[in-house]
């Protein structure tokens, strides 16, 4: 472990620490953030009302739109001369948001990743290729400093020029890669075209994958195809960036309790849900200075697991992200997550489960859903009836997994766009 | 086996049902110097399969695969027809009498007569039956 005292802290001690940190944070925001002061007044809650950790539920939420409405820096509680860096979110869902970092913020971010990467089995002697975008996006620089901190050698290859990435992976004996799951699929496909076997011709052994939703089935597929172990990483720019990963148990993402306090709520009512129930993740970042986040509605759907982990770490875990509250499609009254579609498609060998697109439209009063999916080249038959059968099988599998019927369109391999950033798989054409 | 010389390698190409796909296929084959002798399009709702007899099937396969098409080979046979009224009937009668079940078929009329391309279930057995019923099959060397 990187920081055993923090990572193995007994639950009661951790709760005491979290309470102290929360109380300090609330006082700080009440005193120095006009925005959060006003929001607490509206909610009729004063810092003195926070007497236990459980009282956190009395505090008002923060939303993505609060960051946008206060663009660029009106939520900061540090002055510009105290800041050492900015990151800016991609703005795919609206106006961009800006996150500022003090030196301590960067230190906590890096320390969090150092613990996480160590938990994935990485350390001194590893060569990590960071194939997340460097720049305004937090992925590249975040992973870069985290990997340097644990003594790994960093290859800051960023995104793009995949053939060159594969050459460098071979030449510099890269042992680990950090990128999006869809980009690793793309690397695997490109390597194959180049006649390079990731399993036999490279030293790659670990992938740390995130920045977009993926599935257990995709993990199995990647691990089997490339002969490596792949781990899920979690974070968003509002929380600093990529922050938390799974340990080698591959059973949930450890959220370091001295840095963050997670809750799961019902996205409709805002009520807290007990561990084990699926809901929206709400995060309080306990030590952030420049842009403190209290009860931030992250919008990711997951399950909290507070059982002790076999690895000995005591912090709570979140299970794999199942979708976004705002990605959730309601088709004929039924909640559909793109991740469910992916999971269902992964079960069908005749198609490439990671390459799909969902198009939702409305004809008259009825929603219609179309799923485009690429065929596996091996499954291609010259007979129309065989192809119709594959299409029928996909439609049937989707129907039984989503509880709503979908039309299916078969595509040639490689016909659908691959994304090096966040995969955008949904086209919603409905007009209300 | 003697029947082998009547088996012609057809290429089948998967195509999404959208404008420009056939043009992309034809352009790539032109640039590779592949001559298309006959072709047909089978279409289902949302996608289609382009089937073609070409003079260089292996080159066509590589060329199309390289630009992202899904391509496969299928063995077909070519039956000679008289290019005059009754030509098709004569062949259809032979096929019927031979008990041949046609999966799909397409035809063309060239300068040396008309030709019916057939995809049958048991292709080698089909060849024997057609020959026995008096049909004329074209040798693969005429095409490829």
């Amino acid at each position: 472990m990187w920081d055993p005292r923090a990572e193995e802290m007994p639950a009661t001690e951790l709760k005491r620490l979290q309470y102290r940190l929360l109380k300090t944070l609330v006082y700080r925001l009440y005193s120095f953030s006009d925005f959060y002061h006003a929001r607490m007044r509206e909610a009729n809650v004063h810092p003195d009302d926070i007497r236990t950790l459980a009282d956190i539920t009395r505090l008002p939420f923060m939303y993505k739109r609060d960051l946008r409405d206060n663009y660029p820096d009106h939520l900061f509680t540090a002055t510009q001369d105290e800041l050492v860096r900015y990151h800016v979110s991609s703005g795919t869902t609206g106006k961009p948001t800006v996150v500022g970092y003090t030196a301590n913020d960067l230190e906590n971010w890096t320390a969090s990743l150092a613990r996480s990467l160590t938990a994935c089995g990485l350390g001194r002697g590893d060569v990590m290729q960071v194939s997340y975008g460097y720049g305004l996006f937090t992925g590249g620089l975040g992973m870069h400093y985290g990997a340097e901190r644990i003594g790994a050698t960093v290859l800051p290859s960023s995104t793009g020029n995949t053939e060159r990435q594969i050459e460098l992976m071979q030449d510099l004996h890269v042992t680990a890669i950090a990128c999006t799951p869809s980009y690793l699929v793309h690397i695997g496909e490109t390597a194959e075209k180049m006649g390079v076997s990731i399993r036999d011709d490279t030293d790659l052994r670990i992938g740390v994958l995130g920045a977009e939703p993926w599935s257990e089935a995709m993990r199995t597929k990647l691990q089997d195809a490339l002969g490596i172990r792949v781990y899920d990483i979690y974070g968003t720019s509002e929380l600093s960036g990529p922050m938390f990963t799974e340990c080698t148990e591959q059973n949930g993402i450890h959220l370091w309790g001295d840095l963050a306090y997670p809750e799961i709520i019902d996205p409709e009512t805002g009520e807290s849900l007990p561990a084990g129930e699926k809901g929206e993740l709400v995060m309080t970042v306990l030590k952030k200075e420049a842009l403190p986040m209290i009860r931030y509605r992250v919008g990711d759907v997951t399950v909290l697991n507070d059982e002790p982990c076999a690895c000995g770490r005591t912090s709570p875990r979140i299970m794999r992200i199942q979708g976004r509250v705002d990605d959730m499609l309601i088709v004929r009254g039924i909640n559909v997550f793109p991740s469910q579609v992916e999971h269902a498609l992964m079960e069908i060998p005749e198609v490439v489960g990671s390459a799909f697109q969902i198009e939702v439209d409305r004809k008259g009063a009825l929603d219609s859903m179309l799923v485009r999916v690429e065929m596996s080249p091996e499954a291609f038959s010259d007979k129309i009836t065989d192809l119709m059968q594959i299409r029928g099988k996909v439609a049937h599998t989707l129907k039984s997994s989503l509880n709503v019927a979908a039309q299916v369109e078969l595509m040639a391999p490689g016909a659908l766009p691959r994304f090096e950033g966040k995969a955008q798989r949904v086209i919603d054409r409905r007009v209300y | 086996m003697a029947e082998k010389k009547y088996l012609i390698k057809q290429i089948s190409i998967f195509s999404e049902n959208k404008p420009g796909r056939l043009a992309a296929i034809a352009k790539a084959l032109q640039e590779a110097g592949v001559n298309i002798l006959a072709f047909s399009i089978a279409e289902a709702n949302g996608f289609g399969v382009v089937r073609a007899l070409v003079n260089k099937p292996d080159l066509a396969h590589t060329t199309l695969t390289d630009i992202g098409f899904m391509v496969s080979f299928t063995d077909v046979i070519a039956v000679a027809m008289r290019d005059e009224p009754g030509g098709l009937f004569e062949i259809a009668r032979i096929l019927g009498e031979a008990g041949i079940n046609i999966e799909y078929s397409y035809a063309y009329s060239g300068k040396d007569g008309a030709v019916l391309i057939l995809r049958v279930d048991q292709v080698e057995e089909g060849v024997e039956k057609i020959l026995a019923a008096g049909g004329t099959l074209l040798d693969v060397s005429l095409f490829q």
Side-chain angles (χ1 to χ4, degrees), chain A residues 162-163 166 183 185-196:
Chain A
T162 309
E163 294 191 5
I166 294 163
Y183 191 56
V185 170
H186 182 62
I187 285 181
E189 289 171 355
T190 307
E192 207 176 298
K193 276 185 207 145
M194 291 163 68
V196 174

Side-chain angles (χ1 to χ4, degrees), chain B residues 3-21:
Chain B
E3 286 78 16
K4 279 272 189 255
K5 68 174 178 168
Y6 299 118
L7 304 190
I8 300 158
K9 229 185 209 179
Q10 171 197 265
I11 56 165
S12 305
I13 306 134
F14 179 84
S15 171
E16 289 124 33
N17 203 350
K18 61 181 183 194
R21 301 314 285 159

Side-chain angles (χ1 to χ4, degrees), chain A residues 375-384 387-388 391 407-415, chain B residues 10 12-14 16 42-47 49 51 68 70-72 74 103-104 119 121:
Chain A
M375 284 183 66
S376 318
E378 304 80 53
F380 174 48
S381 157
D382 156 70
K383 286 198 228 166
I384 293 284
L387 296 173
M388 304 275 268
R391 189 167 66 179
Q407 275 181 285
V408 175
E409 198 172 307
L410 297 176
M411 310 289 284
Chain B
Q10 171 197 265
S12 305
I13 306 134
F14 179 84
E16 289 124 33
E43 74 97 36
N45 182 17
F47 64 87
V49 176
R51 300 163 178 147
M70 192 155 57
V71 188
S72 72
T74 310
E103 277 186 24
Y104 57 77
R119 160 81 172 132
D121 220 356

Side-chain angles (χ1 to χ4, degrees), chain A residues 78 140 362:
Chain A
R362 171 162 288 195

Side-chain angles (χ1 to χ4, degrees), chain A residues 134-156:
Chain A
Y134 276 68
L136 294 176
F137 175 55
T138 54
L141 286 169
M143 292 303 292
H144 182 101
Y145 289 109
E148 278 190 358
R149 177 64 59 89
I150 60 168
T153 313
V154 176
L155 174 63

